[in-house]
Amino acid sequence: MAKSSLSFVCQNCGAAYNRWQGKCEACGEWNTLSEEDNATSVPVSIRSKRKGRQFALESLAGKSQDAPRLSSGMAELDRVTGGGFVRGSVLLVGGDPGIGKSTLLTQATAMLARAGHRAVYISGEEAIAQVRLRAERLGLADAPVQLAAETSVEDIVSTLSEGAVPRLIVIDSIQTMWTDTVESAPGTVTQVRASAQALIRFAKKTGAAIILVGHVTKDGQIAGPRVVEHMVDAVLSFEGEGSQQFRILRSVKNRFGPTDEIGVFEMTGLGLREVTNPSELFLSERDLGTPGTAVFAGIEGTRPVLVELQALVAPTSLGTPRRAVVGWDPSRLSMVLAVLEAHCGVKLSGHDVYLNVAGGLRIHEPAADLAAAAALVSSLVNAQLPTDAVYFGEISLSGVVRPVAQTAARLKEAAKLGFGRAVLPESARGEVGGDAGLTLNPIGGLTTLVAEIAARGTLRGNREGSGDATAVEKNATPARFRRENG
């Protein structure tokens, strides 16, 4: 007889407990423990008598061939995956509901099928008629994609083993799959782990590339046990705001390519359209001559991307000023505000601060510190920054502007889009040759940048009705610089 034991497994992190409790001690989430039956199909006494099989051992020396790749037909998707799908690889794609995961994978399978490859799309959440409606809306109804609505892993593996091996298999989604090897409901940690393991074994054995679609939690993390992310070869995150038409496909983990590349798409009525020049798209609706806006020259993987940072500094009547950030790390904003107040004399304790990255892009590199500081000071003193200038540089806690990587690539992209000057760290000037095509303004410390912006600024309240220009400039200049200049 098979032995059965009950345990309570956290559906967020996979930690197991002997009894139920309200809070998971491993991840700190509340009400995520559910009861699961861990039944063993074979008694321990029988399993212990099984002898292992011998396998061949190989040396480190030998010919290493590049993994053969299959192009998806979408340049942005191939950029993120590292050049295409590797035979026998398993990818995990996560994203918010309605962000466009199914649309992206439907287009990818249709392009592969039109190229003569066997592509299979298995939906566990939608009926076949619903998938056909999406394909018809996207204009892909004539693509020879093999479609099925199934959730049993054993049935899926048995069906796909017949005939030619599929080059690409899409499982939408892994949370709906279940296997007979475990006694748990679909979507639980045990079922997700076991189903993913069975599909990964099939991919490694046959050489088919499999894409698993995963749900996400309220924090944006892929739902299910974290061990699934370790089991797969690549983890892709599909990001974007529901109100924005831009979508960002970001590589979080990739065993066969870079982990910092992004692919940019635009959601249209006919599906996702690839954006070959993201910088031009993010700056297409830029409001020129408005205080509080600065253009940041960033790097996403190997691609330079120019994006606009928008800041608003407004007086507050609350005891605790509000700090709101969209698209950037709130901790870095707090650090930049502390440096501005401690070393530059910019008093922001009585103001609400709002910072936004235009276009729905999320910035992770610290090189955006200088652009954020310029936008904040510009909004505070109501000073317009040069419309043809880009900013990049990391700010240290001492107020020194530190250099960042790939300075030449940032300047080249800025010059290609018509920008005429660049504000960059002083120590990075030696990395740029004389053919940069831009007027460089090296900044050694943050105080120099604040002084330049504040010198041409006017307070919002003194913009009109003040006849003394000297008084306006004094009120707009931080106290530290007024002391230094007498």
Side-chain angles (χ1 to χ4, degrees):
M1 295 294 294
K3 295 183 179 179
S4 178
S5 60
L6 296 178
S7 63
F8 297 87
V9 182
C10 176
Q11 304 303 308
N12 185 54
C13 65
Y17 300 90
N18 295 328
R19 59 184 180 84
W20 185 89
Q21 56 190 32
K23 181 180 180 180
C24 175
E25 298 177 355
C27 63
E29 294 293 330
W30 289 85
N31 299 325
T32 58
L33 269 66
S34 62
E35 182 178 348
E36 295 186 8
D37 186 6
N38 297 331
T40 57
S41 57
V42 182
V44 179
S45 58
I46 299 178
R47 294 202 314 267
S48 61
K49 296 180 180 180
R50 176 185 176 274
K51 295 182 179 181
R53 63 178 181 86
Q54 297 181 354
F55 54 90
L57 299 176
E58 299 183 5
S59 62
L60 292 177
K63 296 182 179 179
S64 298
Q65 299 179 355
D66 295 336
R69 295 181 180 270
L70 176 64
S71 176
S72 64
M74 306 178 70
E76 293 298 307
L77 180 57
D78 291 342
R79 172 189 290 270
V80 178
T81 57
F85 302 120
V86 178
R87 292 180 58 88
S89 64
V90 181
L91 292 79
L92 179 62
V93 179
D96 295 332
I99 202 67
K101 301 185 297 297
S102 300
T103 301
L104 174 66
L105 298 179
T106 301
Q107 293 181 225
T109 52
M111 290 184 178
L112 282 174
R114 286 176 175 175
H117 304 287
R118 185 187 178 190
V120 181
Y121 190 99
I122 298 178
S123 175
E125 299 179 347
E126 298 176 310
I128 295 179
Q130 294 174 309
V131 181
R132 286 175 176 171
L133 284 175
R134 181 189 301 113
E136 183 178 356
R137 175 175 58 86
L138 300 176
L140 304 174
D142 59 337
V145 177
Q146 296 180 340
L147 180 63
E150 185 58 52
T151 57
S152 174
V153 174
E154 283 77 15
D155 296 344
I156 293 173
V157 171
S158 177
T159 303
L160 297 180
S161 300
E162 298 294 331
V165 177
R167 294 302 304 271
L168 180 64
I169 303 171
V170 175
I171 305 295
D172 188 6
S173 63
I174 189 60
Q175 271 77 16
T176 60
M177 299 294 122
W178 61 276
T179 175
D180 295 333
T181 58
V182 295
E183 296 291 339
S184 298
T188 59
V189 170
T190 306
Q191 278 287 2
V192 170
R193 184 191 299 113
S195 301
Q197 181 63 40
L199 293 172
I200 291 173
R201 285 198 305 267
F202 175 78
K204 303 302 181 184
K205 180 180 178 181
T206 61
I210 298 181
I211 300 180
L212 306 178
V213 179
H215 295 170
V216 295
T217 62
K218 60 182 180 180
D219 298 331
Q221 303 294 330
I222 298 179
R226 294 300 298 270
V227 68
V228 175
E229 299 185 28
H230 296 283
M231 292 160 56
V232 299
D233 299 305
V235 179
L236 308 181
S237 176
F238 207 36
E239 306 172 354
E241 300 292 337
S243 58
Q244 298 281 352
Q245 69 270 29
F246 311 126
R247 300 291 187 269
I248 309 297
L249 182 63
R250 190 183 302 274
S251 174
V252 180
K253 169 193 174 182
N254 195 349
R255 290 174 178 168
F256 307 107
T259 58
D260 51 2
E261 288 284 359
I262 65 168
V264 184
F265 300 87
E266 181 182 6
M267 179 62 75
T268 64
L270 298 177
L272 292 168
R273 183 181 67 87
E274 298 179 68
V275 178
T276 57
N277 191 351
S279 301
E280 187 175 358
L281 180 63
F282 290 139
L283 300 177
S284 59
E285 300 179 359
R286 182 184 171 203
D287 190 5
L288 299 177
T290 302
T293 60
V295 178
F296 164 59
I299 293 289
E300 292 291 345
T302 59
R303 166 191 287 172
V305 176
L306 270 62
V307 66
E308 182 183 35
L309 269 64
Q310 303 170 350
L312 176 61
V313 180
T316 181
S317 58
L318 303 176
T320 303
R322 186 176 183 182
R323 307 287 189 252
V325 190
V326 177
W328 202 40
D329 187 6
S331 300
R332 296 209 67 88
L333 175 62
S334 301
M335 186 201 74
V336 171
L337 295 178
V339 174
L340 286 173
E341 186 160 352
H343 297 285
C344 303
V346 180
K347 303 300 180 182
L348 295 171
S349 57
H351 295 76
D352 291 333
V353 175
Y354 304 88
L355 186 68
N356 176 50
V357 180
L361 180 67
R362 292 188 176 274
I363 299 176
H364 299 281
E365 61 172 334
D369 293 347
L370 194 63
L376 291 170
V377 178
S378 171
S379 176
L380 176 64
V381 301
N382 199 30
Q384 298 180 4
L385 297 177
T387 57
D388 62 340
V390 295
Y391 300 81
F392 60 90
E394 180 183 356
I395 298 176
S396 64
L397 293 179
S398 60
V400 177
V401 181
R402 297 172 55 86
V404 294
Q406 304 187 37
T407 301
R410 303 172 195 262
L411 297 178
K412 183 178 179 180
E413 180 71 12
K416 185 176 68 174
L417 294 178
F419 287 88
R421 66 182 73 180
V423 181
L424 70 166
E426 185 175 8
S427 56
R429 179 169 50 179
E431 303 177 8
V432 183
D435 56 348
L438 297 173
T439 302
L440 304 182
N441 182 15
I443 298 294
L446 187 58
T447 56
T448 305
L449 178 65
V450 174
E452 292 179 358
I453 299 176
R456 57 176 178 266
T458 58
L459 286 179
R460 299 182 185 274
N462 295 332
R463 186 180 229 185
E464 299 176 359
S466 176
D468 190 356
T470 304
V472 172
E473 184 175 349
K474 280 187 175 182
N475 290 332
T477 306
R480 178 172 180 176
F481 296 101
R482 295 204 301 268
R483 292 195 302 266
E484 292 178 357
N485 298 330

